[in-house]
């Protein structure tokens, strides 16, 4: 239990340290803002429009695929730890699960979801 | 209770201060090594051989003007570098430097480190989104997609290590390598893990998000002064975290290379640092030697090469260990 206390205290110390570092230039530097300087950077032009427009669907697709595979990884951790206790029954159960997942993976691959155009 | 907290705080300070110093000198080492590889001299003005260059750079960044863009979401904008730096620090809590030399010797140390390194993507995506600048936004999208793609193969490689070691505690993972370092039976995994680490820390040849030529600086283009410095420190701290993870999972952490008594006279922390420095040098070496990947090549490598290979290794290692009854 005390181990996690260490992590908590470390979290607060690191937070304080980074806030201190972030705040320091606001105190010691001279600040002079003008509208040109604080506008969004766009290679010398005035920004044409808001940056929050549409973006490529591929990024979304990658995120969805990530969720599937990361869940699989999370599911594999307890299996990997207890493999010596659950033996061949546990091993083949996981193989069945991985087989189903691999079918999905092959389908994505053939569909071209992994190709970046 | 108070004494306990005080001792923990002292331990943390003994961890954080050398860490920040090592980040500073890692930057100098990178510039020096890159310079030598390109037959230049590198920084050599501030102090002898430029030894005070990182301190001069840090001081310069402190007195720079912090610019807050008018179109940015200020709270998230200021929060993003803090988060990046914070996560690169707390990851150190469960990394063992020697037997018993660890701040938090938790049972799920491997899972903890994996979770913290996964959270790193939030710092980048909030920075890119809150800047409200097109370059920053594109850079953060690319960076996030890249990081999550390689995280899957990192996870699968960690599962293979965990099958071999039979524990999630990092100290026990190292002690399980007393007979043989995992880099010998699992050598391809070490290579794959190192490649994934390069992609996970956005380092060359996978530094697409920061591609200077097209996206100027990627997600941190709107940051100046310490906001920028925190991202920079976070990136280099992550490099050191990843190097020490490579060393813990595959090169036997603080264990000496051969089982001779004379090697045990040298403290374990020395072996640990030596291995970490080796991986850090490899990080810099890769940057000097390889051209940048194209984005489609990067995604192809992550999803079509590393993911199937690492999944196959999980099945292969589990099958072999189970059949020969070698499980820990």
């Amino acid at each position: 239990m005390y181990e996690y206390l260490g992590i908590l205290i470390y979290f607060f110390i690191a937070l304080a340290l980074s806030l201190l570092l972030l705040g320091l230039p606001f105190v010691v530097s001279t600040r002079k803002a003008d509208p040109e300087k604080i506008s969004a950077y766009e290679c010398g032009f005035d920004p044409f429009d808001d940056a929050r427009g549409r973006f490529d669907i591929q990024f979304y697709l990658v995120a969805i695929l990530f969720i599937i595979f990361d869940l699989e990884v999370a599911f594999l951790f307890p299996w990997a730890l207890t493999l010596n206790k659950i033996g061949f029954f546990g091993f083949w159960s996981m193989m069945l699960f991985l087989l189903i997942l691999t079918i999905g993976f092959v389908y994505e691959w053939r569909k071209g979801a992994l190709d970046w155009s | 209770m108070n004494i306990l907290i005080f001792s923990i705080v002292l331990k943390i300070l003994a961890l954080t201060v050398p860490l920040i110093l090592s980040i500073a000198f890692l930057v100098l080492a990178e510039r020096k090594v890159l310079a030598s590889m390109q037959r230049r001299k590198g920084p050599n003005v501030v102090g002898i051989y430029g030894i005070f260059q990182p301190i001069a750079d840090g001081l310069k960044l402190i007195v720079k003007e912090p610019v807050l863009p008018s179109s940015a979401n200020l709270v998230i904008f200021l929060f993003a570098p803090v988060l990046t730096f914070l996560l690169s620090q707390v990851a150190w809590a469960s990394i063992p430097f020697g037997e018993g030399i660890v701040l938090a010797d938790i049972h799920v140390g491997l899972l903890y480190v994996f979770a913290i390194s996964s959270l790193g993507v939030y710092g980048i995506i909030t920075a890119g989104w809150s800047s409200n600048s097109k370059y920053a936004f594109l850079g953060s999208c690319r960076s996030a997609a890249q990081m999550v793609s390689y995280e899957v193969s990192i996870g699968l490689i960690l599962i293979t290590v965990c099958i071999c070691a039979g524990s999630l505690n990092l100290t026990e993972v190292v002690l399980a390598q007393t007979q043989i370092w995992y880099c010998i039976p699992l050598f391809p995994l070490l290579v794959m893990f190192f490649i994934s680490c390069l992609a996970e820390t956005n380092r060359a040849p996978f530094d697409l998000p920061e591609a200077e030529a097209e996206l100027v600086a990627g997600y941190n283009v709107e940051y100046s002064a310490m906001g920028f410095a925190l991202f920079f420190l976070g990136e280099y701290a992550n490099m050191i975290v990843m190097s020490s993870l490579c060393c813990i999972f595959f090169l036997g952490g603080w264990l000496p290379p051969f089982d001779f008594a004379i090697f045990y006279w040298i403290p374990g922390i020395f072996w640990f640092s030596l291995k970490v420095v080796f991986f850090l040098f490899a990080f810099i070496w890769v940057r000097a030697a390889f051209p940048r990947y194209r984005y489609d090549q990067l995604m192809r490598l992550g999803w079509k090469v590393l993911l199937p290979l690492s999944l196959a290794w999980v099945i292969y290692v589990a099958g072999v260990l189970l059949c020969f009854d070698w499980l820990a």
Side-chain angles (χ1 to χ4, degrees):
Chain A
M1 202 56 225
Y2 287 134
E3 261 91 40
Y4 290 94
L5 183 69
I7 292 177
L8 186 73
I9 295 174
Y10 200 175
F11 181 85
F12 283 115
I13 287 183
L15 185 70
L17 180 68
S18 47
L19 285 177
L20 181 78
L21 283 176
L22 190 70
L24 213 54
F26 286 92
V27 183
V28 295
S29 71
T30 45
R31 298 180 60 205
K32 213 186 270 177
D34 65 69
E36 292 299 324
K37 191 193 271 178
I38 61 170
S39 69
Y41 173 71
E42 219 160 276
C43 288
F45 296 105
D46 287 334
F48 282 115
D49 50 10
D50 201 69
R52 281 155 205 167
R54 287 182 283 183
F55 61 94
D56 198 342
I57 189 77
Q58 276 284 344
F59 291 113
Y60 181 75
L61 212 61
V62 165
I64 294 283
L65 289 177
F66 165 71
I67 290 178
I68 298 169
F69 282 98
D70 214 39
L71 272 179
E72 175 208 342
V73 169
F75 191 47
L76 276 169
F77 267 109
W79 171 79
L81 279 180
T82 54
L83 198 57
N84 55 348
K85 297 189 187 69
I86 54 181
F88 279 100
F89 178 69
F91 179 76
W92 286 113
S93 314
M94 185 50 88
M95 286 311 112
L96 194 67
F97 171 73
L98 289 182
L99 179 72
I100 296 167
L101 205 94
T102 310
I103 292 171
F105 184 62
V106 171
Y107 176 74
E108 284 155 19
W109 193 321
R110 296 299 294 255
K111 269 285 183 189
L114 305 176
D115 294 318
W116 202 276
S117 50
Chain B
M1 194 66 190
N2 277 329
I3 292 171
L4 180 76
I5 289 178
F6 187 65
S7 74
I8 289 175
V9 169
L10 278 185
K11 275 185 198 167
I12 291 170
L13 286 181
L15 191 58
T16 303
V17 174
L19 178 64
I20 290 176
L21 280 178
S22 65
I23 295 169
F25 286 104
L26 174 61
V27 178
L28 178 68
E30 172 169 40
R31 291 174 67 179
K32 277 290 190 190
V33 171
L34 281 181
S36 302
M37 286 180 177
Q38 296 160 352
R39 306 199 63 181
R40 299 183 280 119
K41 272 189 174 168
N44 62 351
V45 175
V46 193
I48 314 157
Y49 298 114
I51 199 87
F52 294 122
Q53 185 69 41
I55 294 160
D57 287 345
L59 281 176
K60 187 196 76 176
L61 280 166
I62 286 176
V63 294
K64 285 281 172 183
E65 175 185 357
V67 177
L68 302 174
S70 51
S71 52
N73 297 44
L74 276 186
V75 176
I76 308 176
F77 182 80
L78 289 174
F79 172 70
V82 170
L83 184 70
T84 307
F85 183 74
L86 174 74
L87 289 173
S88 72
Q89 291 284 310
V90 289
W92 284 94
S94 72
I95 288 187
F97 299 90
E99 195 163 2
I101 312 177
V102 50
L103 178 68
D105 195 18
I106 50 180
H107 294 301
V108 289
L110 195 151
L111 217 50
Y112 170 77
V113 173
F114 185 48
I116 294 289
S117 77
S118 308
L119 282 175
V121 74
Y122 280 106
I124 285 166
I125 206 156
T126 49
W129 184 81
S130 66
S131 296
N132 206 352
S133 158
K134 291 190 190 75
Y135 290 113
F137 183 65
L138 279 174
S140 73
C141 273
R142 282 186 183 187
S143 187
Q146 168 184 338
M147 284 172 85
V148 297
S149 299
Y150 283 82
E151 212 171 280
V152 178
S153 50
I154 284 191
L156 288 170
I157 292 165
L158 292 190
I159 281 173
T160 317
V161 171
C162 154
I163 290 172
C164 293
S167 170
L168 288 177
N169 183 316
L170 292 179
T171 306
E172 280 174 34
V173 170
V174 171
L175 289 180
Q177 300 176 57
T178 315
Q179 298 295 326
I180 188 165
W181 294 357
Y182 288 156
C183 70
I184 294 166
L186 303 177
F187 183 72
L189 280 184
L190 170 61
V191 176
M192 283 155 61
F193 189 71
F194 186 68
I195 294 173
S196 305
C197 286
L198 287 176
E200 189 76 2
T201 48
N202 293 326
R203 288 288 300 178
F206 306 113
D207 56 348
L208 269 293
E210 292 164 33
E212 301 98 303
E214 39 172 336
L215 281 181
V216 283
Y219 58 87
N220 57 19
V221 61
E222 294 292 339
Y223 285 88
S224 60
M226 263 312 174
F228 169 75
L230 286 180
F231 275 119
F232 200 72
L233 292 175
E235 186 187 323
Y236 279 82
N238 274 331
M239 267 168 69
I240 307 179
V241 173
M242 285 301 182
S243 301
S244 52
L245 287 184
C246 283
C247 154
I248 288 168
F249 293 141
F250 294 101
L251 285 194
W254 62 85
L255 298 173
F258 298 104
D259 214 4
F260 301 143
I262 190 162
F263 285 129
Y264 284 97
W265 296 345
I266 301 167
I269 192 119
F270 173 77
W271 293 116
F272 185 82
S273 331
L274 203 65
K275 292 165 189 171
V276 171
V277 166
F278 166 72
F279 279 112
L280 286 174
F281 179 74
F283 264 87
I284 299 165
W285 192 6
V286 164
R287 178 170 173 187
F290 290 108
R292 186 178 288 137
Y293 257 52
R294 235 176 32 229
Y295 201 69
D296 60 320
Q297 292 172 326
L298 172 94
M299 287 316 225
R300 187 183 157 276
L301 181 69
W303 286 102
K304 291 189 175 175
V305 180
L306 290 183
L307 172 62
L309 259 180
S310 50
L311 188 58
W313 267 89
V314 170
I315 296 169
Y316 167 65
V317 169
V320 167
L321 292 185
L322 195 66
C323 285
F324 290 97
D325 209 13
W326 286 341
L327 282 166

